[in-house]
Amino acid sequence: MIHEIIICIIFFAAMLINAVTGFAGNLLAMPTTIQLIGMTDAKVMSTIVGIITCAVIAALNPKAINWHEILKAIVLMIPGILLGLYLFYNVNYHFLLYVYGTVILVIAVKNFFTRPLVYKMTLPLVLIIMTGAGIMHSLFVSSGAFMVIYAMHTFKDKSEFRATMVVLGAFLNILLLFQEIFADEITFYNTALSVAVLIPSLLAIFIGNRLHKKLSGSRFFLLANILLLISGLVCFFKA
């Protein structure tokens, strides 16, 4: 029971961040959650909670959603998603998490010391980023850190950034949920825990949405990069 209360507190904080920026929630919550209830239950719970919370955040500002970018991202991420599912069942995920964290830290540090520019990425770079995002979403329900690398160079508006990121997250989680059902990973325990976690998560969303409106564009993108840095560091915690 203590573990479940701790998880509710963790997800309240994580979804507060997710409501403000549109990403980083699951990646910040997953390492500790995995320690408390195990990899499979943590993954299933994050998938279910992610679908509902992302849908709620998107519904708060539907006009800001960039559907073209969402469709493009899903298509480009499919190979990575399939590869990630293979790795989930066949490779030690700690090693992959360390590699992921290293890449994120390098990019976050670079962003702090170089002037941010909005530009169209080359196709090879987009493919690398989207493949990485697909892999990490299959493994940790956390494609956000890779996706924000792409989004920070694509979206000028903070609301478009957030709305597009959360809708993409909802679609990816729906695909992942079908896989989890097929793999018989849905249990009464992780479903009941998902329902319990939703209560503080939804509260966090409405608080986070108010904070999002008060942030200036420059502060929003600074916060996004700070969370990118934290996300990279979190990957090195033993799970």
Side-chain angles (χ1 to χ4, degrees):
M1 184 65 180
I2 295 177
H3 286 178
E4 286 73 18
I5 293 173
I6 293 173
I7 290 171
C8 285
I9 295 172
I10 290 170
F11 268 81
F12 173 82
M15 290 305 119
L16 182 65
I17 291 170
N18 214 59
V20 174
T21 64
F23 82 104
N26 275 348
L27 187 54
L28 293 172
M30 279 289 278
T32 306
T33 304
I34 291 170
Q35 285 184 320
L36 294 173
I37 61 174
M39 180 68 177
T40 300
D41 283 334
K43 179 168 168 281
V44 170
M45 187 198 68
S46 292
T47 302
I48 295 173
V49 173
I51 292 172
I52 298 172
T53 55
C54 285
V56 171
I57 296 171
L60 295 173
N61 192 6
K63 294 181 179 180
I65 300 169
N66 188 323
W67 292 103
H68 172 74
E69 289 295 338
I70 290 171
L71 180 60
K72 183 170 70 173
I74 291 174
V75 171
L76 292 174
M77 287 173 68
I78 287 175
I81 290 172
L82 296 176
L83 178 57
L85 290 174
Y86 171 81
L87 294 174
F88 180 79
Y89 294 107
N90 293 280
V91 177
N92 186 307
Y93 69 89
H94 288 105
F95 171 75
L96 296 168
L97 193 58
Y98 296 154
V99 173
Y100 183 43
T102 301
V103 173
I104 294 169
L105 287 175
V106 169
I107 293 169
V109 171
K110 176 183 176 296
N111 286 346
F112 276 117
F113 291 99
T114 59
R115 186 176 180 180
L117 298 172
V118 177
Y119 59 87
K120 293 297 181 180
M121 292 183 171
T122 61
L123 181 58
L125 182 56
V126 169
L127 291 175
I128 292 172
I129 290 173
M130 293 304 188
T131 299
I135 291 172
M136 297 308 5
H137 203 86
S138 292
L139 290 172
F140 307 106
V141 201
S142 306
S143 61
F146 266 118
M147 279 303 302
V148 78
I149 297 167
Y150 175 78
M152 286 180 72
H153 295 288
T154 303
F155 304 124
K156 295 180 181 180
D157 179 71
K158 66 173 185 175
S159 295
E160 183 184 22
F161 179 111
R162 185 185 69 157
T164 304
M165 290 284 283
V166 295
V167 172
L168 176 60
F171 275 113
L172 293 174
N173 281 1
I174 290 171
L175 293 177
L176 201 55
L177 182 62
F178 279 114
Q179 179 273 322
E180 291 164 352
I181 293 172
F182 181 77
D184 199 28
E185 294 173 347
I186 309 295
T187 65
F188 175 80
Y189 173 73
N190 55 42
T191 302
L193 184 56
S194 299
V195 174
V197 168
L198 270 173
I199 298 172
S201 295
L202 291 174
L203 175 61
I205 286 173
F206 287 106
I207 296 173
N209 188 59
R210 288 179 176 270
L211 295 174
H212 173 82
K213 292 178 180 178
K214 294 181 179 180
L215 278 178
S216 65
S218 59
R219 288 182 178 179
F220 173 85
F221 286 105
L222 175 61
L223 176 60
N225 199 58
I226 291 172
L227 291 175
L228 191 64
L229 181 64
I230 294 173
S231 298
L233 291 172
V234 166
C235 292
F236 292 92
F237 289 112
K238 182 70 173 177

PDB file of all heavy atoms in Angstrom, residues 152-185:
ATOM      1  N   MET A 152      11.545  21.053 -30.687  1.00  0.00           N
ATOM      2  CA  MET A 152      12.142  22.353 -30.375  1.00  0.00           C
ATOM      3  C   MET A 152      12.675  23.057 -31.618  1.00  0.00           C
ATOM      4  O   MET A 152      12.848  24.271 -31.628  1.00  0.00           O
ATOM      5  CB  MET A 152      13.270  22.188 -29.346  1.00  0.00           C
ATOM      6  CG  MET A 152      12.766  21.909 -27.933  1.00  0.00           C
ATOM      7  SD  MET A 152      14.095  21.725 -26.717  1.00  0.00           S
ATOM      8  CE  MET A 152      14.644  23.436 -26.579  1.00  0.00           C
ATOM      9  N   HIS A 153      12.923  22.289 -32.680  1.00  0.00           N
ATOM     10  CA  HIS A 153      13.409  22.876 -33.925  1.00  0.00           C
ATOM     11  C   HIS A 153      12.304  22.958 -34.988  1.00  0.00           C
ATOM     12  O   HIS A 153      12.565  23.315 -36.120  1.00  0.00           O
ATOM     13  CB  HIS A 153      14.577  22.057 -34.470  1.00  0.00           C
ATOM     14  CG  HIS A 153      15.790  22.089 -33.583  1.00  0.00           C
ATOM     15  ND1 HIS A 153      16.583  23.198 -33.449  1.00  0.00           N
ATOM     16  CD2 HIS A 153      16.320  21.151 -32.772  1.00  0.00           C
ATOM     17  CE1 HIS A 153      17.564  22.943 -32.600  1.00  0.00           C
ATOM     18  NE2 HIS A 153      17.421  21.721 -32.165  1.00  0.00           N
ATOM     19  N   THR A 154      11.072  22.614 -34.576  1.00  0.00           N
ATOM     20  CA  THR A 154       9.972  22.601 -35.536  1.00  0.00           C
ATOM     21  C   THR A 154       8.874  23.595 -35.167  1.00  0.00           C
ATOM     22  O   THR A 154       8.326  24.279 -36.029  1.00  0.00           O
ATOM     23  CB  THR A 154       9.367  21.176 -35.630  1.00  0.00           C
ATOM     24  OG1 THR A 154      10.395  20.254 -35.984  1.00  0.00           O
ATOM     25  CG2 THR A 154       8.258  21.125 -36.671  1.00  0.00           C
ATOM     26  N   PHE A 155       8.544  23.679 -33.866  1.00  0.00           N
ATOM     27  CA  PHE A 155       7.428  24.516 -33.436  1.00  0.00           C
ATOM     28  C   PHE A 155       7.920  25.817 -32.800  1.00  0.00           C
ATOM     29  O   PHE A 155       8.751  25.799 -31.904  1.00  0.00           O
ATOM     30  CB  PHE A 155       6.560  23.758 -32.423  1.00  0.00           C
ATOM     31  CG  PHE A 155       6.058  22.434 -32.940  1.00  0.00           C
ATOM     32  CD1 PHE A 155       6.324  21.264 -32.251  1.00  0.00           C
ATOM     33  CD2 PHE A 155       5.343  22.364 -34.114  1.00  0.00           C
ATOM     34  CE1 PHE A 155       5.872  20.040 -32.713  1.00  0.00           C
ATOM     35  CE2 PHE A 155       4.884  21.149 -34.603  1.00  0.00           C
ATOM     36  CZ  PHE A 155       5.146  19.980 -33.893  1.00  0.00           C
ATOM     37  N   LYS A 156       7.373  26.931 -33.253  1.00  0.00           N
ATOM     38  CA  LYS A 156       7.710  28.233 -32.676  1.00  0.00           C
ATOM     39  C   LYS A 156       6.799  28.575 -31.504  1.00  0.00           C
ATOM     40  O   LYS A 156       7.177  29.329 -30.619  1.00  0.00           O
ATOM     41  CB  LYS A 156       7.584  29.332 -33.745  1.00  0.00           C
ATOM     42  CG  LYS A 156       8.575  29.197 -34.894  1.00  0.00           C
ATOM     43  CD  LYS A 156       8.375  30.327 -35.882  1.00  0.00           C
ATOM     44  CE  LYS A 156       9.338  30.218 -37.055  1.00  0.00           C
ATOM     45  NZ  LYS A 156       9.147  31.320 -38.027  1.00  0.00           N
ATOM     46  N   ASP A 157       5.600  28.020 -31.508  1.00  0.00           N
ATOM     47  CA  ASP A 157       4.599  28.359 -30.510  1.00  0.00           C
ATOM     48  C   ASP A 157       4.554  27.300 -29.407  1.00  0.00           C
ATOM     49  O   ASP A 157       4.501  26.105 -29.695  1.00  0.00           O
ATOM     50  CB  ASP A 157       3.223  28.476 -31.172  1.00  0.00           C
ATOM     51  CG  ASP A 157       2.135  28.797 -30.180  1.00  0.00           C
ATOM     52  OD1 ASP A 157       2.104  29.929 -29.684  1.00  0.00           O
ATOM     53  OD2 ASP A 157       1.328  27.887 -29.891  1.00  0.00           O
ATOM     54  N   LYS A 158       4.547  27.725 -28.152  1.00  0.00           N
ATOM     55  CA  LYS A 158       4.573  26.780 -27.027  1.00  0.00           C
ATOM     56  C   LYS A 158       3.304  25.924 -26.958  1.00  0.00           C
ATOM     57  O   LYS A 158       3.361  24.747 -26.594  1.00  0.00           O
ATOM     58  CB  LYS A 158       4.773  27.527 -25.706  1.00  0.00           C
ATOM     59  CG  LYS A 158       3.625  28.444 -25.311  1.00  0.00           C
ATOM     60  CD  LYS A 158       3.812  29.020 -23.915  1.00  0.00           C
ATOM     61  CE  LYS A 158       2.586  29.836 -23.499  1.00  0.00           C
ATOM     62  NZ  LYS A 158       2.682  30.306 -22.103  1.00  0.00           N
ATOM     63  N   SER A 159       2.153  26.502 -27.312  1.00  0.00           N
ATOM     64  CA  SER A 159       0.903  25.745 -27.252  1.00  0.00           C
ATOM     65  C   SER A 159       0.848  24.671 -28.327  1.00  0.00           C
ATOM     66  O   SER A 159       0.373  23.550 -28.093  1.00  0.00           O
ATOM     67  CB  SER A 159      -0.298  26.695 -27.394  1.00  0.00           C
ATOM     68  OG  SER A 159      -0.363  27.568 -26.290  1.00  0.00           O
ATOM     69  N   GLU A 160       1.351  24.993 -29.530  1.00  0.00           N
ATOM     70  CA  GLU A 160       1.421  24.000 -30.602  1.00  0.00           C
ATOM     71  C   GLU A 160       2.384  22.887 -30.204  1.00  0.00           C
ATOM     72  O   GLU A 160       2.111  21.702 -30.431  1.00  0.00           O
ATOM     73  CB  GLU A 160       1.883  24.650 -31.904  1.00  0.00           C
ATOM     74  CG  GLU A 160       1.910  23.683 -33.089  1.00  0.00           C
ATOM     75  CD  GLU A 160       2.456  24.327 -34.352  1.00  0.00           C
ATOM     76  OE1 GLU A 160       3.177  25.337 -34.238  1.00  0.00           O
ATOM     77  OE2 GLU A 160       2.160  23.823 -35.447  1.00  0.00           O
ATOM     78  N   PHE A 161       3.496  23.249 -29.616  1.00  0.00           N
ATOM     79  CA  PHE A 161       4.483  22.293 -29.132  1.00  0.00           C
ATOM     80  C   PHE A 161       3.815  21.300 -28.174  1.00  0.00           C
ATOM     81  O   PHE A 161       3.881  20.086 -28.345  1.00  0.00           O
ATOM     82  CB  PHE A 161       5.594  23.071 -28.410  1.00  0.00           C
ATOM     83  CG  PHE A 161       6.709  22.244 -27.825  1.00  0.00           C
ATOM     84  CD1 PHE A 161       7.978  22.293 -28.369  1.00  0.00           C
ATOM     85  CD2 PHE A 161       6.506  21.453 -26.707  1.00  0.00           C
ATOM     86  CE1 PHE A 161       9.023  21.556 -27.819  1.00  0.00           C
ATOM     87  CE2 PHE A 161       7.527  20.722 -26.146  1.00  0.00           C
ATOM     88  CZ  PHE A 161       8.791  20.771 -26.700  1.00  0.00           C
ATOM     89  N   ARG A 162       3.148  21.822 -27.142  1.00  0.00           N
ATOM     90  CA  ARG A 162       2.566  20.965 -26.110  1.00  0.00           C
ATOM     91  C   ARG A 162       1.422  20.117 -26.658  1.00  0.00           C
ATOM     92  O   ARG A 162       1.366  18.900 -26.435  1.00  0.00           O
ATOM     93  CB  ARG A 162       2.056  21.812 -24.941  1.00  0.00           C
ATOM     94  CG  ARG A 162       1.538  20.966 -23.782  1.00  0.00           C
ATOM     95  CD  ARG A 162       0.911  21.796 -22.678  1.00  0.00           C
ATOM     96  NE  ARG A 162      -0.350  22.405 -23.084  1.00  0.00           N
ATOM     97  CZ  ARG A 162      -1.297  22.785 -22.220  1.00  0.00           C
ATOM     98  NH1 ARG A 162      -1.105  22.637 -20.920  1.00  0.00           N
ATOM     99  NH2 ARG A 162      -2.411  23.339 -22.641  1.00  0.00           N
ATOM    100  N   ALA A 163       0.489  20.740 -27.367  1.00  0.00           N
ATOM    101  CA  ALA A 163      -0.687  20.022 -27.858  1.00  0.00           C
ATOM    102  C   ALA A 163      -0.309  18.899 -28.811  1.00  0.00           C
ATOM    103  O   ALA A 163      -0.853  17.789 -28.742  1.00  0.00           O
ATOM    104  CB  ALA A 163      -1.637  21.002 -28.557  1.00  0.00           C
ATOM    105  N   THR A 164       0.634  19.167 -29.704  1.00  0.00           N
ATOM    106  CA  THR A 164       1.061  18.151 -30.667  1.00  0.00           C
ATOM    107  C   THR A 164       1.788  17.001 -29.973  1.00  0.00           C
ATOM    108  O   THR A 164       1.563  15.825 -30.301  1.00  0.00           O
ATOM    109  CB  THR A 164       1.976  18.781 -31.739  1.00  0.00           C
ATOM    110  OG1 THR A 164       1.282  19.864 -32.355  1.00  0.00           O
ATOM    111  CG2 THR A 164       2.356  17.758 -32.802  1.00  0.00           C
ATOM    112  N   MET A 165       2.630  17.324 -29.007  1.00  0.00           N
ATOM    113  CA  MET A 165       3.363  16.294 -28.276  1.00  0.00           C
ATOM    114  C   MET A 165       2.430  15.358 -27.519  1.00  0.00           C
ATOM    115  O   MET A 165       2.611  14.134 -27.513  1.00  0.00           O
ATOM    116  CB  MET A 165       4.348  16.948 -27.314  1.00  0.00           C
ATOM    117  CG  MET A 165       5.531  17.630 -27.984  1.00  0.00           C
ATOM    118  SD  MET A 165       6.776  16.480 -28.571  1.00  0.00           S
ATOM    119  CE  MET A 165       7.578  16.055 -27.037  1.00  0.00           C
ATOM    120  N   VAL A 166       1.408  15.909 -26.854  1.00  0.00           N
ATOM    121  CA  VAL A 166       0.536  15.053 -26.044  1.00  0.00           C
ATOM    122  C   VAL A 166      -0.385  14.196 -26.918  1.00  0.00           C
ATOM    123  O   VAL A 166      -0.677  13.046 -26.562  1.00  0.00           O
ATOM    124  CB  VAL A 166      -0.288  15.871 -25.020  1.00  0.00           C
ATOM    125  CG1 VAL A 166       0.620  16.514 -24.000  1.00  0.00           C
ATOM    126  CG2 VAL A 166      -1.188  16.894 -25.693  1.00  0.00           C
ATOM    127  N   VAL A 167      -0.839  14.722 -28.047  1.00  0.00           N
ATOM    128  CA  VAL A 167      -1.677  13.911 -28.943  1.00  0.00           C
ATOM    129  C   VAL A 167      -0.857  12.767 -29.535  1.00  0.00           C
ATOM    130  O   VAL A 167      -1.326  11.628 -29.617  1.00  0.00           O
ATOM    131  CB  VAL A 167      -2.284  14.772 -30.066  1.00  0.00           C
ATOM    132  CG1 VAL A 167      -2.987  13.892 -31.100  1.00  0.00           C
ATOM    133  CG2 VAL A 167      -3.273  15.769 -29.489  1.00  0.00           C
ATOM    134  N   LEU A 168       0.375  13.063 -29.910  1.00  0.00           N
ATOM    135  CA  LEU A 168       1.262  12.017 -30.401  1.00  0.00           C
ATOM    136  C   LEU A 168       1.464  10.955 -29.318  1.00  0.00           C
ATOM    137  O   LEU A 168       1.410   9.750 -29.597  1.00  0.00           O
ATOM    138  CB  LEU A 168       2.609  12.614 -30.806  1.00  0.00           C
ATOM    139  CG  LEU A 168       3.685  11.610 -31.254  1.00  0.00           C
ATOM    140  CD1 LEU A 168       3.211  10.828 -32.472  1.00  0.00           C
ATOM    141  CD2 LEU A 168       4.987  12.348 -31.539  1.00  0.00           C
ATOM    142  N   GLY A 169       1.669  11.399 -28.076  1.00  0.00           N
ATOM    143  CA  GLY A 169       1.843  10.461 -26.969  1.00  0.00           C
ATOM    144  C   GLY A 169       0.625   9.577 -26.774  1.00  0.00           C
ATOM    145  O   GLY A 169       0.748   8.371 -26.518  1.00  0.00           O
ATOM    146  N   ALA A 170      -0.568  10.143 -26.914  1.00  0.00           N
ATOM    147  CA  ALA A 170      -1.797   9.364 -26.751  1.00  0.00           C
ATOM    148  C   ALA A 170      -1.911   8.289 -27.828  1.00  0.00           C
ATOM    149  O   ALA A 170      -2.241   7.127 -27.538  1.00  0.00           O
ATOM    150  CB  ALA A 170      -3.008  10.298 -26.798  1.00  0.00           C
ATOM    151  N   PHE A 171      -1.641   8.648 -29.087  1.00  0.00           N
ATOM    152  CA  PHE A 171      -1.704   7.676 -30.181  1.00  0.00           C
ATOM    153  C   PHE A 171      -0.694   6.547 -29.978  1.00  0.00           C
ATOM    154  O   PHE A 171      -1.011   5.366 -30.169  1.00  0.00           O
ATOM    155  CB  PHE A 171      -1.452   8.360 -31.523  1.00  0.00           C
ATOM    156  CG  PHE A 171      -2.688   8.965 -32.131  1.00  0.00           C
ATOM    157  CD1 PHE A 171      -2.815  10.340 -32.266  1.00  0.00           C
ATOM    158  CD2 PHE A 171      -3.725   8.158 -32.578  1.00  0.00           C
ATOM    159  CE1 PHE A 171      -3.961  10.904 -32.812  1.00  0.00           C
ATOM    160  CE2 PHE A 171      -4.877   8.710 -33.140  1.00  0.00           C
ATOM    161  CZ  PHE A 171      -4.991  10.081 -33.253  1.00  0.00           C
ATOM    162  N   LEU A 172       0.518   6.898 -29.593  1.00  0.00           N
ATOM    163  CA  LEU A 172       1.558   5.888 -29.371  1.00  0.00           C
ATOM    164  C   LEU A 172       1.180   4.957 -28.231  1.00  0.00           C
ATOM    165  O   LEU A 172       1.416   3.738 -28.294  1.00  0.00           O
ATOM    166  CB  LEU A 172       2.893   6.563 -29.082  1.00  0.00           C
ATOM    167  CG  LEU A 172       3.524   7.351 -30.234  1.00  0.00           C
ATOM    168  CD1 LEU A 172       4.766   8.091 -29.753  1.00  0.00           C
ATOM    169  CD2 LEU A 172       3.884   6.428 -31.395  1.00  0.00           C
ATOM    170  N   ASN A 173       0.589   5.512 -27.176  1.00  0.00           N
ATOM    171  CA  ASN A 173       0.187   4.686 -26.047  1.00  0.00           C
ATOM    172  C   ASN A 173      -0.947   3.730 -26.409  1.00  0.00           C
ATOM    173  O   ASN A 173      -1.019   2.615 -25.895  1.00  0.00           O
ATOM    174  CB  ASN A 173      -0.240   5.573 -24.871  1.00  0.00           C
ATOM    175  CG  ASN A 173       0.953   6.133 -24.122  1.00  0.00           C
ATOM    176  OD1 ASN A 173       2.102   5.887 -24.483  1.00  0.00           O
ATOM    177  ND2 ASN A 173       0.690   6.882 -23.078  1.00  0.00           N
ATOM    178  N   ILE A 174      -1.844   4.172 -27.281  1.00  0.00           N
ATOM    179  CA  ILE A 174      -2.926   3.284 -27.741  1.00  0.00           C
ATOM    180  C   ILE A 174      -2.334   2.087 -28.488  1.00  0.00           C
ATOM    181  O   ILE A 174      -2.736   0.933 -28.279  1.00  0.00           O
ATOM    182  CB  ILE A 174      -3.916   4.052 -28.633  1.00  0.00           C
ATOM    183  CG1 ILE A 174      -4.726   5.047 -27.780  1.00  0.00           C
ATOM    184  CG2 ILE A 174      -4.862   3.087 -29.348  1.00  0.00           C
ATOM    185  CD1 ILE A 174      -5.567   6.008 -28.582  1.00  0.00           C
ATOM    186  N   LEU A 175      -1.365   2.349 -29.364  1.00  0.00           N
ATOM    187  CA  LEU A 175      -0.699   1.251 -30.081  1.00  0.00           C
ATOM    188  C   LEU A 175      -0.006   0.314 -29.099  1.00  0.00           C
ATOM    189  O   LEU A 175      -0.069  -0.921 -29.233  1.00  0.00           O
ATOM    190  CB  LEU A 175       0.334   1.822 -31.065  1.00  0.00           C
ATOM    191  CG  LEU A 175      -0.205   2.629 -32.249  1.00  0.00           C
ATOM    192  CD1 LEU A 175       0.953   3.190 -33.075  1.00  0.00           C
ATOM    193  CD2 LEU A 175      -1.103   1.772 -33.123  1.00  0.00           C
ATOM    194  N   LEU A 176       0.645   0.887 -28.100  1.00  0.00           N
ATOM    195  CA  LEU A 176       1.356   0.092 -27.109  1.00  0.00           C
ATOM    196  C   LEU A 176       0.378  -0.721 -26.261  1.00  0.00           C
ATOM    197  O   LEU A 176       0.673  -1.873 -25.884  1.00  0.00           O
ATOM    198  CB  LEU A 176       2.186   1.017 -26.213  1.00  0.00           C
ATOM    199  CG  LEU A 176       3.363   0.407 -25.452  1.00  0.00           C
ATOM    200  CD1 LEU A 176       4.323  -0.307 -26.392  1.00  0.00           C
ATOM    201  CD2 LEU A 176       4.092   1.486 -24.663  1.00  0.00           C
ATOM    202  N   LEU A 177      -0.784  -0.152 -25.966  1.00  0.00           N
ATOM    203  CA  LEU A 177      -1.786  -0.864 -25.168  1.00  0.00           C
ATOM    204  C   LEU A 177      -2.278  -2.124 -25.888  1.00  0.00           C
ATOM    205  O   LEU A 177      -2.449  -3.177 -25.262  1.00  0.00           O
ATOM    206  CB  LEU A 177      -2.963   0.060 -24.857  1.00  0.00           C
ATOM    207  CG  LEU A 177      -4.069  -0.540 -23.975  1.00  0.00           C
ATOM    208  CD1 LEU A 177      -3.524  -0.910 -22.600  1.00  0.00           C
ATOM    209  CD2 LEU A 177      -5.231   0.454 -23.838  1.00  0.00           C
ATOM    210  N   PHE A 178      -2.485  -2.027 -27.198  1.00  0.00           N
ATOM    211  CA  PHE A 178      -2.886  -3.207 -27.969  1.00  0.00           C
ATOM    212  C   PHE A 178      -1.826  -4.308 -27.875  1.00  0.00           C
ATOM    213  O   PHE A 178      -2.139  -5.489 -27.742  1.00  0.00           O
ATOM    214  CB  PHE A 178      -3.131  -2.832 -29.435  1.00  0.00           C
ATOM    215  CG  PHE A 178      -4.479  -2.214 -29.682  1.00  0.00           C
ATOM    216  CD1 PHE A 178      -4.593  -0.897 -30.094  1.00  0.00           C
ATOM    217  CD2 PHE A 178      -5.636  -2.952 -29.503  1.00  0.00           C
ATOM    218  CE1 PHE A 178      -5.837  -0.323 -30.320  1.00  0.00           C
ATOM    219  CE2 PHE A 178      -6.886  -2.395 -29.730  1.00  0.00           C
ATOM    220  CZ  PHE A 178      -6.981  -1.074 -30.143  1.00  0.00           C
ATOM    221  N   GLN A 179      -0.558  -3.910 -27.945  1.00  0.00           N
ATOM    222  CA  GLN A 179       0.528  -4.882 -27.813  1.00  0.00           C
ATOM    223  C   GLN A 179       0.525  -5.527 -26.432  1.00  0.00           C
ATOM    224  O   GLN A 179       0.735  -6.742 -26.290  1.00  0.00           O
ATOM    225  CB  GLN A 179       1.875  -4.187 -28.089  1.00  0.00           C
ATOM    226  CG  GLN A 179       3.090  -5.088 -27.965  1.00  0.00           C
ATOM    227  CD  GLN A 179       3.635  -5.162 -26.553  1.00  0.00           C
ATOM    228  OE1 GLN A 179       3.652  -4.155 -25.841  1.00  0.00           O
ATOM    229  NE2 GLN A 179       4.065  -6.338 -26.137  1.00  0.00           N
ATOM    230  N   GLU A 180       0.281  -4.728 -25.400  1.00  0.00           N
ATOM    231  CA  GLU A 180       0.262  -5.256 -24.028  1.00  0.00           C
ATOM    232  C   GLU A 180      -0.910  -6.201 -23.812  1.00  0.00           C
ATOM    233  O   GLU A 180      -0.788  -7.203 -23.094  1.00  0.00           O
ATOM    234  CB  GLU A 180       0.217  -4.086 -23.039  1.00  0.00           C
ATOM    235  CG  GLU A 180       1.515  -3.282 -23.009  1.00  0.00           C
ATOM    236  CD  GLU A 180       1.385  -1.927 -22.344  1.00  0.00           C
ATOM    237  OE1 GLU A 180       0.249  -1.526 -22.027  1.00  0.00           O
ATOM    238  OE2 GLU A 180       2.416  -1.257 -22.150  1.00  0.00           O
ATOM    239  N   ILE A 181      -2.051  -5.906 -24.431  1.00  0.00           N
ATOM    240  CA  ILE A 181      -3.204  -6.806 -24.355  1.00  0.00           C
ATOM    241  C   ILE A 181      -2.874  -8.124 -25.049  1.00  0.00           C
ATOM    242  O   ILE A 181      -3.154  -9.214 -24.530  1.00  0.00           O
ATOM    243  CB  ILE A 181      -4.449  -6.158 -24.999  1.00  0.00           C
ATOM    244  CG1 ILE A 181      -4.904  -4.951 -24.172  1.00  0.00           C
ATOM    245  CG2 ILE A 181      -5.581  -7.172 -25.134  1.00  0.00           C
ATOM    246  CD1 ILE A 181      -5.995  -4.122 -24.823  1.00  0.00           C
ATOM    247  N   PHE A 182      -2.264  -8.024 -26.222  1.00  0.00           N
ATOM    248  CA  PHE A 182      -1.891  -9.217 -26.990  1.00  0.00           C
ATOM    249  C   PHE A 182      -0.885 -10.076 -26.220  1.00  0.00           C
ATOM    250  O   PHE A 182      -0.921 -11.301 -26.271  1.00  0.00           O
ATOM    251  CB  PHE A 182      -1.289  -8.800 -28.341  1.00  0.00           C
ATOM    252  CG  PHE A 182      -0.892  -9.957 -29.216  1.00  0.00           C
ATOM    253  CD1 PHE A 182      -1.847 -10.688 -29.908  1.00  0.00           C
ATOM    254  CD2 PHE A 182       0.444 -10.321 -29.342  1.00  0.00           C
ATOM    255  CE1 PHE A 182      -1.489 -11.760 -30.714  1.00  0.00           C
ATOM    256  CE2 PHE A 182       0.820 -11.389 -30.141  1.00  0.00           C
ATOM    257  CZ  PHE A 182      -0.154 -12.107 -30.830  1.00  0.00           C
ATOM    258  N   ALA A 183       0.034  -9.418 -25.481  1.00  0.00           N
ATOM    259  CA  ALA A 183       1.060 -10.126 -24.713  1.00  0.00           C
ATOM    260  C   ALA A 183       0.541 -10.582 -23.351  1.00  0.00           C
ATOM    261  O   ALA A 183       1.299 -11.139 -22.552  1.00  0.00           O
ATOM    262  CB  ALA A 183       2.283  -9.228 -24.530  1.00  0.00           C
ATOM    263  N   ASP A 184      -0.750 -10.342 -23.064  1.00  0.00           N
ATOM    264  CA  ASP A 184      -1.386 -10.759 -21.815  1.00  0.00           C
ATOM    265  C   ASP A 184      -0.702 -10.125 -20.594  1.00  0.00           C
ATOM    266  O   ASP A 184      -0.517 -10.780 -19.558  1.00  0.00           O
ATOM    267  CB  ASP A 184      -1.385 -12.293 -21.698  1.00  0.00           C
ATOM    268  CG  ASP A 184      -2.415 -12.796 -20.696  1.00  0.00           C
ATOM    269  OD1 ASP A 184      -3.434 -12.106 -20.496  1.00  0.00           O
ATOM    270  OD2 ASP A 184      -2.197 -13.875 -20.094  1.00  0.00           O
ATOM    271  N   GLU A 185      -0.346  -8.839 -20.726  1.00  0.00           N
ATOM    272  CA  GLU A 185       0.335  -8.134 -19.637  1.00  0.00           C
ATOM    273  C   GLU A 185      -0.632  -7.304 -18.786  1.00  0.00           C
ATOM    274  O   GLU A 185      -0.235  -6.781 -17.745  1.00  0.00           O
ATOM    275  CB  GLU A 185       1.421  -7.219 -20.215  1.00  0.00           C
ATOM    276  CG  GLU A 185       2.565  -7.980 -20.874  1.00  0.00           C
ATOM    277  CD  GLU A 185       3.562  -7.078 -21.589  1.00  0.00           C
ATOM    278  OE1 GLU A 185       3.247  -5.889 -21.783  1.00  0.00           O
ATOM    279  OE2 GLU A 185       4.639  -7.572 -21.951  1.00  0.00           O
TER     280      GLU A 185
END
